[in-house]
Amino acid sequence: MKRLSILGSTGSIGQGALRIVARFPERFAVKALAAHRRLEVLADQIRRFRPEAVVVADARAARDLAASLPPASRPEILCGEEGYRRAASWPSADLTLNAIVGAAGLLPTLAAVEAGKTVAIANKETLVMAGGLVTRRAAACGASLLPVDSEHSAVFQCLEGRSPAELERILLTASGGPFLERPVETLAEVTPEEALRHPNWSMGAKITVDSATLMNKGLEVIEAMRLFSVPPERIEVVVHPQSIVHSMVALRDGTVLAQMGVPDMAAAIGYALSYPERLPLGQELPAFAAGLTLSFRAPDPVRFPCLALALEAARAGGTAPAALNAANEEAVGAFLERRIGFGDIPRVVAHALRRHAAEAEESLEAVLEADREARAAAREWIVRNRA
Ligand code: NAD
Ligand code: MG
């Protein structure tokens, strides 16, 4: 029986994880749940999974949640930063799934790692901001990190049982998002509704916009650097519109191993939760015999300037990825609120990166300062240029 703490339980990944828990009640028990403000969804999860503790954004949300639950079925209700940290390191849980979106996931990840938990990490922003720090602390505290991101789960699976010396390069696949074929000169007019319509995957709003700009793939390059200790020049991004090959590794004898499956996060989430076992998920297989075509190409740098910005931050290292991530979060938020256009997202990020004097050392203080500074620079650009 694995005992779980699920952070971001009301989101796309969090709900996907709970669907797996519900299908295999003999394998999993939920000890803690954390979410932000979707209290009705959380209350329903509490009724179904009976956690010992739940966390919400603030004291008011905690009061509202408590009022909506009969006293007999009320778990311990915590709130705010301290609450997320406690849930992340909940004593009776063996595995913490961090499925919070954005920089808010960093401190909970550190808390889980410092408590020596196995951490299933969907919150890629943690690894982008402070991946060096997190992996060092994990090693020191006996914690392990299991990837949930489908590309990183694929690489992890391809590398299982191999020595790092065999690895030549990582090939991260990218669907290319909804605008792969749209005329480049019309990208400035993209609306939030269009950006939120991903062709292959159903995900939360922020990552869906990141997939449309390909910033998501840039963040994933940095995530892969951190998870697999590989420099950016040995990670290649390949556009693969069908999203069947979840990623590949090239070994030193020229062998390329790919991990494939239908585009459904259940397999990657399930593998992180049940590792090293595999769950009988009953997934359909890619329709090979029906004439399935898999195609691959290089990403177009003119169409996707965010990818180059992320690679620039990856190469700069230190606090540059934290600044990149923070500016991107601000830009995506402003785009979704229609304060800037789609084409402004890379402009905001470039502005904040230019202004950032990267510190070489990735201490927690330096990372949080880089995050604050880059958000301020991004907001300043947004106010000055607002649509
Ligand atoms: P989502 O927006 O659907 O859900 C986010 C969750 O985080 C919600 O439960 C929300 O309540 C919580 N949350 C939001 N702000 C918070 C805050 N300030 N403090 C605490 N909790 C907060 O997002 P998602 O699509 O499930 O993505 C979650 C993470 O997983 C992201 O880092 C994303 O990049 C990564 N990821 C998602 C997918 C996917 O298929 N959705 C795939 C790969 C990686
Ligand atoms: Mg991914």
Side-chain angles (χ1 to χ4, degrees):
M1 176 72 78
K2 267 195 196 165
R3 300 166 305 168
L4 311 179
S5 169
I6 300 185
L7 315 180
S9 67
T10 56
S12 163
I13 293 286
Q15 295 196 52
L18 286 172
R19 277 194 292 277
I20 291 175
V21 171
R23 280 184 61 187
F24 300 98
E26 70 292 356
R27 288 176 186 255
F28 302 111
V30 175
K31 296 296 175 185
L33 291 174
H36 203 231
R37 296 190 194 279
R38 293 181 67 194
L39 301 186
E40 326 74 57
V41 178
L42 186 59
D44 181 53
Q45 293 176 346
I46 293 165
R47 278 189 285 275
R48 292 173 58 208
F49 297 100
R50 307 257 162 220
E52 294 169 1
V54 298
V55 193
V56 289
D58 49 36
R60 179 167 177 189
R63 272 198 306 278
D64 292 348
L65 180 67
S68 75
L69 297 169
S73 63
R74 227 177 261 165
E76 187 172 341
I77 302 179
L78 310 167
C79 68
E81 227 171 64
E82 178 55 23
Y84 293 116
R85 277 205 289 255
R86 280 190 59 201
S89 53
W90 197 250
S92 62
D94 325 293
L95 182 146
T96 299
L97 167 64
N98 187 349
I100 291 174
V101 61
L106 174 59
L107 296 179
T109 301
L110 282 170
V113 158
E114 278 159 10
K117 303 291 183 192
T118 299
V119 186
I121 184 106
N123 178 253
K124 67 187 82 187
E125 293 87 351
T126 283
L127 294 170
V128 171
M129 295 172 75
L133 181 68
V134 169
T135 49
R136 277 196 304 278
R137 289 215 185 153
C141 300
S144 49
L145 295 170
L146 293 170
V148 174
D149 217 345
S150 57
E151 295 76 3
H152 304 74
S153 177
V155 171
F156 178 72
Q157 293 178 57
C158 291
L159 290 178
E160 260 177 279
R162 275 170 220 297
S163 98
E166 284 181 42
L167 177 66
E168 191 68 43
R169 58 175 49 224
I170 289 174
L171 298 145
L172 284 186
T173 51
S175 70
F179 308 131
L180 187 58
E181 310 293 348
R182 180 171 164 145
V184 177
E185 61 283 3
T186 69
L187 287 180
E189 301 145 27
V190 161
T191 64
E193 291 73 18
E194 289 172 319
L196 289 173
R197 233 176 278 133
H198 195 282
N200 304 349
W201 300 96
S202 155
M203 311 179 284
K206 191 251 174 190
I207 183 175
T208 305
V209 174
D210 286 348
S211 300
T213 61
L214 242 65
M215 179 58 91
N216 183 51
K217 212 49 54 178
L219 300 178
E220 290 185 355
V221 168
I222 302 171
E223 182 184 12
M225 289 167 60
R226 302 315 194 197
L227 284 171
F228 306 111
S229 305
V230 169
E233 57 278 9
R234 286 172 56 205
I235 303 174
E236 187 178 335
V237 172
V238 184
V239 172
H240 165 49
Q242 298 82 15
S243 298
I244 297 293
V245 172
H246 297 324
S247 276
M248 302 180 266
V249 300
L251 305 179
R252 64 182 174 193
D253 63 355
T255 295
V256 177
L257 300 180
Q259 189 265 350
M260 294 189 238
V262 293
D264 181 336
M265 285 303 292
I269 298 170
Y271 195 52
L273 295 186
S274 64
Y275 180 79
E277 287 177 48
R278 281 179 193 271
L279 297 170
L281 287 178
Q283 290 275 65
E284 59 172 311
L285 299 182
F288 295 107
L292 176 67
T293 304
L294 303 181
S295 62
F296 302 91
R297 67 180 110 153
D300 172 355
V302 176
R303 182 179 294 275
F304 299 117
C306 282
L307 182 58
L309 290 168
L311 296 179
E312 180 188 320
R315 284 189 290 265
T319 54
L324 170 93
N325 177 69
N328 181 58
E329 283 187 33
E330 292 294 321
V332 171
F335 166 67
L336 287 173
E337 291 166 6
R338 297 184 160 75
R339 289 185 285 128
I340 59 171
F342 186 75
D344 291 331
I345 296 173
R347 294 190 185 106
V348 172
V349 175
H351 171 76
L353 271 186
R354 299 288 111 79
R355 293 274 298 270
H356 180 65
E359 294 235 8
E361 201 209 316
E362 208 195 72
S363 67
L364 182 59
E365 297 66 35
V367 162
L368 295 177
E369 179 55 27
D371 179 275
R372 266 194 300 275
E373 229 185 56
R375 280 177 203 275
R379 285 187 198 132
E380 171 214 85
W381 191 100
I382 291 164
V383 168
R384 197 154 27 85
N385 298 277
R386 71 191 305 158

